[in-house]
Amino acid sequence: MKRPLRALVAAGLLLSSSLVAVALAGNASADTQICEQYGSAVIQSRYVVQNNRWGTTAQQCINVTSSGFEITTLNGSSPTNGAPTAYPSVFFGCHYTNCSPGTNLPIQVSQISSASSSISYRYVSGATYNASYDIWLDPSPKRDGVNQMEIMIWLNRQGPIQPIGSVVGTTNLAGRTWEVWRGSNGSNNVISYVAPSAISSLNFSVLDFINDVRNRGAITNSWYLTSIQAGFEPWQGGVGLAVTSFSAAVNGGGGPTTPPPTTPPPTTPPPGGAGCAVKYTPNSWNNGFTADVQITNTGSSAINGWTLTYSLPSGQQVTNAWNATVSQSGSAVTARNVSHNGSVPPGGTASFGYQGTLSGSYSSPTNFSLNGATCSRT
């Protein structure tokens, strides 16, 4: 099952007027109600609780407590073969420029000496949802936008829903056996660990799951841990679901280091008249979209630096991007490589993606040029 990344549409994080004082004070007292679509509040001067209702226009409210939150109103529902309605959650780290107070994330995996967390849930019956613990990683110390790797720990699954991708085996972590799923939602890779039966509380090492994903070749020690989140993905029903407690602590070598700026290598055109192919994979909803763009070098010589140009249909506006520097003037879009993906050998690929706003019906661009040469579509 493919579904949009829950964080994608939370880029414009909003606070209701009733929460402004709480946010400015830096800490929420018990029984703080959040009904704003992307409203958030700080608890324990350390964690951020967010409503994050991204998959429905129906009202959703959460009651923020001193140790977590409870879903108090949930009017929306979604088909079980599609995306959930929301991801109300509590997090430590950075989520779309909203960073928890005093966090030392992002931090490079190689610098982490320990990463521990605990979570306690309260479940309800008669609803379709998962209780999900998310670990986000990226090759860069990203504080906004989409991360390239999502680790999902499914502590409870109710109803006919399933993780992204397909089953690739089982593993033993945190003293338990997990079914392992692997796939991509078009914007990032996902590895999911599914418990065979509901787990109401767990105290574990986050680093164990990170190391397992690294051993599967999905990340390296040079990647960055950017955030840790725990909450619920409801499809149908779910009032009364609650995170009753949450804690997370990451210890390491002093926090992230931002790579110094580098001068992009000179661009060279793809060899031959048909030296490139573009695969454009969109994911749209009522007022926004994401796109994953893959460039393939179909020529016989390496591409050293690339610039991809094309036009977006009317009503589409890029808001943020990853793995490329993307600019837009009118309908014209220009995407330039970043330092780590500028060289593309013959037969090789380079990928990037972005999020945008949408007005009207969705359609994809059709004509692409790489370094001035027309690309075919795949």
Side-chain angles (χ1 to χ4, degrees):
M1 178 189 68
K2 298 196 113 180
R3 55 186 165 81
L5 180 66
R6 68 186 59 86
L8 286 175
V9 294
L13 194 66
L14 303 177
L15 291 173
S16 66
S17 58
S18 62
L19 290 177
V20 171
V22 171
L24 293 177
N27 213 36
S29 60
D31 300 319
T32 298
Q33 192 86 347
I34 301 179
C35 294
E36 288 290 340
Q37 185 173 11
Y38 305 120
S40 69
V42 173
I43 63 172
Q44 301 178 31
S45 300
R46 180 173 174 82
Y47 309 117
V48 176
V49 175
Q50 58 180 355
N51 197 24
N52 201 6
R53 173 178 56 83
W54 61 265
T56 179
T57 58
Q59 187 181 48
Q60 172 182 289
C61 299
I62 60 175
N63 184 58
V64 181
T65 69
S66 59
S67 59
F69 68 91
E70 177 184 355
I71 300 175
T72 56
T73 303
L74 204 162
N75 295 328
S77 65
S78 296
T80 56
N81 62 348
T85 62
Y87 184 50
S89 53
V90 55
F91 70 85
F92 174 76
C94 294
H95 176 94
Y96 272 87
T97 72
N98 188 14
C99 294
S100 57
T103 183
N104 60 337
L105 304 185
I107 186 172
Q108 203 162 32
V109 171
S110 62
Q111 296 181 3
I112 300 174
S113 57
S114 65
S116 59
S117 185
S118 65
I119 180 71
S120 294
Y121 291 101
R122 185 174 71 241
Y123 298 133
V124 299
S125 59
T128 300
Y129 64 90
N130 71 32
S132 175
Y133 190 105
D134 275 21
I135 303 165
W136 292 92
L137 301 111
D138 196 79
S140 63
K142 189 182 286 288
R143 292 178 175 85
D144 61 359
V146 180
N147 286 197
Q148 289 190 30
M149 185 71 236
E150 177 185 11
I151 303 172
M152 294 187 70
I153 306 173
W154 288 46
L155 288 93
N156 192 2
R157 172 172 55 169
Q158 296 296 315
I161 56 174
Q162 67 181 45
I164 291 168
S166 57
V167 178
V168 295
T170 61
T171 191
N172 292 307
L173 294 170
R176 298 172 182 268
T177 299
W178 308 84
E179 188 177 65
V180 184
W181 293 60
R182 189 164 183 172
S184 172
N185 61 23
S187 298
N188 60 271
N189 295 319
V190 186
I191 295 180
S192 301
Y193 299 84
V194 182
S197 59
I199 300 172
S200 58
S201 64
L202 189 67
N203 190 338
F204 67 104
S205 169
V206 174
L207 199 55
D208 287 350
F209 288 87
I210 294 175
N211 288 339
D212 187 74
V213 168
R214 181 201 61 202
N215 293 339
R216 294 174 188 274
I219 65 167
T220 69
N221 281 334
S222 65
W223 283 48
Y224 290 80
L225 171 64
T226 64
S227 70
I228 295 167
Q229 305 178 348
F232 300 96
E233 290 185 322
W235 273 259
Q236 298 169 5
V239 170
L241 291 170
V243 170
T244 57
S245 68
F246 173 82
S247 69
V250 180
N251 300 309
T257 55
T258 303
T262 58
T263 302
T267 60
T268 58
C276 55
V278 172
K279 181 180 180 181
Y280 192 90
T281 306
N283 194 356
S284 64
W285 53 94
N286 56 348
N287 59 359
F289 72 100
T290 62
D292 183 70
V293 186
Q294 179 179 277
I295 302 166
T296 300
N297 180 1
T298 60
S300 58
S301 301
I303 298 172
N304 295 309
W306 50 264
T307 298
L308 186 71
T309 57
Y310 53 97
S311 294
L312 283 179
S314 176
Q316 298 182 23
Q317 180 65 48
V318 175
T319 56
N320 60 77
W322 50 96
N323 291 331
T325 301
V326 180
S327 59
Q328 182 175 354
S329 177
S331 62
V333 173
T334 301
R336 293 183 173 87
N337 68 274
V338 291
S339 58
H340 68 266
N341 64 358
S343 296
V344 187
T349 62
S351 297
F352 68 95
Y354 55 87
Q355 176 189 356
T357 57
L358 174 64
S359 175
S361 60
Y362 177 82
S363 59
S364 296
T366 55
N367 299 313
F368 298 86
S369 294
L370 187 71
N371 296 347
T374 300
C375 297
S376 62
R377 289 291 304 275
T378 61

